[in-house]
Amino acid sequence: MTLDELLNQAKAIPSIPRVVSEVTAELDRDDPDPRHIADLVATDPGLTARLLKLANSAFFGLTRQIDSVGEAITVLGFNHLRTLVQAVALGTSFKTVPGVNLEQFWRYSLNTAKICRPLARSLRLPEGAAFTAGLVHAVGDLVMHIGMPDVVAKIDWRVSPFDMKRAEVERSVLGYTYADVGAAFAQRWDFPEVIVKALRHQLVPFEGDIYEPLAGVIHMASWRARAQEMNLDRDAMAATFPDVVAILLGLSLETVLDKDPQEWTSAGELAAFLH
């Protein structure tokens, strides 16, 4: 199946609500306006209801009830709000995916996003865009499982979705990878062009005329998150470390490992994606 055929086949996948794209764009500004964000979220009653339910869940351990989006922004902060809004949208779009352990998938994706943020900060790249790009960088894998489950099941049998050589096998079988599919869908979902480009070039961020540092951040963060999923020890991580991308970003193995989350993603955090 060609990429165009896959995209047509997967048209049944709901689009990310425009309000999520607008909220993300506002959060990416140097000085986000909390009132404008609250007004945007309020235009989608379903999003508002789920956002407040999550904000009041046991995961955040708040001592008082949050009754409005504005209050949620004040108490939780922009970073948590970004995660919740995007999690609600993605969880709604991908409720069930054949052949995919969604708990593991979103754990890996959220870990990638968590690593992207400090890496971007250290390189003076936009942290918010880096987090978002990290969170959605592998969504193409879900689209492929939905659009051609039998074909992808055979690829899964050959190599795990979290294996370092996954993209290489996909390209050899299909002629394209989850990165190509994810970029196409991010464009369809009206994500900012900087994120679309980062997704498109995440596997090869520096080649020829391509120079995409944000794609390089995703490349490094996803490598680290995959290593975590596969329980690689330090020697194994050193053997698989993406040296070329790291050198061009000015990073070392120690620098990347230093950006590990204080806490890897928990079951509580995954509730937003799974329920």
Side-chain angles (χ1 to χ4, degrees):
M1 184 180 292
T2 67
L3 178 55
D4 287 340
E5 288 171 341
L6 171 63
L7 297 176
N8 289 330
Q9 179 79 10
K11 279 185 177 178
I13 298 172
S15 295
I16 294 291
R18 180 170 293 277
V19 62
V20 173
S21 299
E22 293 174 345
V23 169
T24 299
E26 180 64 29
L27 287 169
D28 284 342
R29 290 166 57 90
D30 291 336
D31 187 21
D33 182 350
R35 181 174 298 179
H36 181 48
I37 292 172
D39 289 343
L40 286 172
V41 174
T43 64
D44 188 324
L47 178 61
T48 300
R50 292 198 66 191
L51 192 62
L52 292 178
K53 179 181 178 181
L54 289 168
N56 286 300
S57 68
F59 169 66
F60 290 104
L62 302 179
T63 56
R64 62 184 177 85
Q65 184 80 9
I66 293 179
D67 298 318
S68 69
V69 174
E71 206 176 357
I73 295 172
T74 300
V75 174
L76 300 177
F78 289 139
N79 286 341
H80 276 314
L81 180 72
R82 176 191 296 275
T83 304
L84 291 178
V85 169
Q86 293 172 347
V88 168
L90 291 166
T92 300
S93 295
F94 298 101
K95 290 182 179 179
T96 58
V97 181
V100 176
N101 179 334
L102 285 175
E103 181 174 352
Q104 182 183 29
F105 178 86
W106 289 123
R107 180 180 66 222
Y108 157 74
S109 297
L110 192 49
N111 281 335
T112 300
K114 286 183 175 183
I115 299 165
C116 276
R117 182 179 282 145
L119 277 177
R121 185 186 309 128
S122 70
L123 297 169
R124 298 185 179 180
L125 296 171
E127 296 178 40
F131 181 91
T132 300
L135 185 62
V136 303
H137 83 281
V139 162
D141 182 60
L142 300 184
V143 176
M144 292 162 74
H145 275 86
I146 292 172
M148 47 183 179
D150 294 339
V151 174
V152 180
K154 292 178 180 178
I155 297 176
D156 289 342
W157 184 81
R158 287 179 57 183
V159 58
S160 160
F162 301 103
D163 191 282
M164 302 295 181
K165 295 184 177 180
R166 173 68 181 205
E168 181 182 322
V169 174
E170 287 179 354
R171 190 175 299 283
S172 70
V173 173
L174 302 168
Y176 53 87
T177 71
Y178 67 87
D180 301 308
V181 179
F185 267 78
Q187 200 159 33
R188 171 182 165 183
W189 288 329
D190 296 321
F191 275 92
E193 183 61 21
V194 63
I195 292 177
V196 174
K197 289 173 67 177
L199 298 182
R200 181 176 296 120
H201 298 296
Q202 61 177 293
L203 300 177
V204 187
F206 309 109
E207 185 178 71
D209 294 335
I210 299 170
Y211 183 79
E212 294 290 341
L214 188 56
V217 167
I218 301 173
H219 189 99
M220 300 305 304
S222 61
W223 163 81
R224 179 63 187 99
R226 286 173 191 269
Q228 180 69 13
E229 284 298 323
M230 298 175 70
N231 295 312
L232 299 187
D233 60 21
R234 190 178 181 84
D235 288 341
M237 284 193 285
T240 60
F241 187 62
D243 299 273
V244 174
V245 175
I247 290 171
L248 291 169
L249 287 173
L251 300 172
S252 65
L253 175 61
E254 290 71 24
T255 304
V256 176
L257 296 182
D258 185 56
K259 307 304 180 187
D260 281 359
Q262 289 186 341
E263 294 184 3
W264 294 97
T265 297
S266 66
E269 290 174 279
L270 292 175
F273 297 87
L274 303 173
H275 304 293

